[in-house]
Amino acid sequence: MHPFPTPPRQVLIGDAAAFVGITPRTIRHYHQVGLLPERERGSDGRRRYGSEEIIRLLWIRRMADAGIALDDIRDAFDGAAPGGADGEDEVAGVLARLEDTLAAQDAELQAKRASVQRMRALGSRLGLLDDLVSGRLEGAPEGSLRQDDLDILLVTERVFGPLGAAVQAGRFVALAADPALRAEADRVDAAEEALDDTVAVDDPRVAQVAAERHAFETALMHVMEESGQGEEDDALFDVWDELHPLEEADAAPAPGPAAGSRVKSAAETIRSMPYDLSPARVRSMELAVQLGAAAVPAP
């Protein structure tokens, strides 16, 4: 089995820019206009960025791509945590002002106006995800999705594209519909987070948490299968194939998840996304994957 890739805890500005699909110069501009707080330089004189900055950059890019001015994006984030209710209200207000502006412009702006209307209807963050992903989340009870769920789907879209994120969205639909399952997910997540730098990789807790993760994922997959999500996944693939016929794919290969930046494979892209994971936690994840692989029946 291939070794489990260890993600960096922080990355340099070039790798951060490549992952998000922008340039280092753009990140520096975001620093200058107050969109992204500047990190202190390390002993080598270079700045490094963690997962929180990367996720914030992804949201900024999505909002900018939707036609929102940088000043309005800054106002939306200013004084509020990105995942907090105040931040959501600010984003919604910005979108409302933008819709008023677009309504008065020429017909060529109608696509942007429809995009903003969709964002307002679904929620400012949910609406920034691809239609395929947000459509899959329609089955979740109102208010049951968390900011962390949307953050994960945003990153998955970047790595595996809308189809991969739409399939993963089924996981959050299942969790949202089952409070007991969500509570167990929170418990296992907390157990993994407790495997910090003070825990040795050979500590018995590492294997114990891996077994708990494997048991939870097995239970979750059973719930998803029982709810008919396998058929929903098949329908997603059918929709995707209709929108992306093979003839078009042969004529012009579709851009990868890192279109507009350095061309990267999914594995390379994953390795460039920083996560603050201790060696003990990475080892526990490896063991959980091995348990899952061992549980798959031989063909």
Side-chain angles (χ1 to χ4, degrees), residues 74-95:
R74 182 182 60 239
D75 292 342
F77 283 108
D78 188 30
D86 291 342
E88 287 297 303
D89 290 340
E90 287 290 341
V91 172
V94 168
L95 293 173

Side-chain angles (χ1 to χ4, degrees), residues 56 91 123 133 188 262 274 294:
R56 181 159 177 155
V91 172
V133 183
V188 175
R262 295 203 307 251

Side-chain angles (χ1 to χ4, degrees), residues 14-287:
D15 287 326
F19 182 87
V20 176
I22 55 179
T23 65
R25 182 177 180 181
T26 299
I27 294 180
R28 295 189 184 99
H29 181 63
Y30 290 165
H31 288 321
Q32 292 172 358
V33 301
L35 266 174
L36 185 72
E38 288 190 78
R39 296 294 298 267
E40 293 291 332
R41 295 183 185 274
S43 58
D44 59 354
R46 307 171 79 180
R47 292 190 177 91
R48 287 172 171 78
Y49 300 80
S51 57
E52 290 186 6
E53 286 91 351
I54 298 295
I55 288 172
R56 181 159 177 155
L57 284 168
L58 285 170
W59 285 124
I60 291 170
R61 183 187 175 189
R62 282 298 175 92
M63 296 172 79
D65 287 347
I68 304 174
L70 294 186
D71 287 345
D72 287 332
I73 297 175
R74 182 182 60 239
D75 292 342
F77 283 108
D78 188 30
D86 291 342
E88 287 297 303
D89 290 340
E90 287 290 341
V91 172
V94 168
L95 293 173
R97 294 196 298 273
L98 180 61
E99 183 182 4
D100 291 339
T101 300
L102 294 178
Q105 293 180 356
D106 297 332
E108 65 188 47
L109 297 177
Q110 292 304 311
K112 287 185 178 180
R113 184 183 180 193
S115 177
V116 172
Q117 289 175 331
R118 172 179 171 270
M119 284 185 243
R120 294 189 67 192
L122 295 177
S124 52
R125 297 302 177 92
L126 178 59
L128 286 167
L129 296 174
D130 187 86
D131 288 351
L132 201 64
V133 183
S134 59
R136 185 65 184 278
L137 295 171
E138 289 178 355
E142 185 176 356
S144 61
L145 294 172
R146 300 177 179 179
Q147 181 62 43
D148 286 348
D149 301 340
L150 302 183
D151 287 344
I152 291 170
L153 290 172
L154 179 70
V155 173
T156 302
E157 263 197 50
R158 183 63 186 159
V159 177
F160 296 109
L163 183 59
V167 171
Q168 187 187 40
R171 175 188 185 90
F172 299 116
V173 172
L175 291 175
D178 190 328
L181 199 63
R182 174 69 91 170
E184 178 63 9
D186 291 342
R187 188 194 67 78
V188 175
D189 288 345
E192 288 180 336
E193 291 173 4
L195 299 177
D196 56 22
D197 287 320
T198 67
V199 181
V201 293
D202 57 354
D203 189 294
R205 287 174 290 177
V206 173
Q208 175 61 35
V209 173
E212 293 174 1
R213 169 58 68 184
H214 170 63
F216 168 74
E217 295 297 333
T218 301
L220 176 60
M221 289 301 298
H222 178 72
V223 169
M224 293 172 66
E225 290 172 0
E226 289 293 315
S227 67
Q229 287 207 27
E231 290 79 2
E232 292 183 26
D233 287 344
D234 291 340
L236 276 177
F237 285 110
D238 290 341
V239 170
W240 183 263
D241 289 342
E242 289 178 6
L243 296 175
H244 305 83
L246 292 176
E247 310 85 69
E248 294 181 9
D250 293 338
S261 61
R262 295 203 307 251
V263 176
K264 290 186 174 187
S265 67
E268 290 173 327
T269 307
I270 291 172
R271 284 194 293 268
S272 66
M273 173 65 190
Y275 282 98
D276 192 13
L277 303 178
S278 68
R281 188 167 178 180
V282 171
R283 179 54 180 160
S284 182
M285 295 166 66
E286 289 178 340
L287 292 175

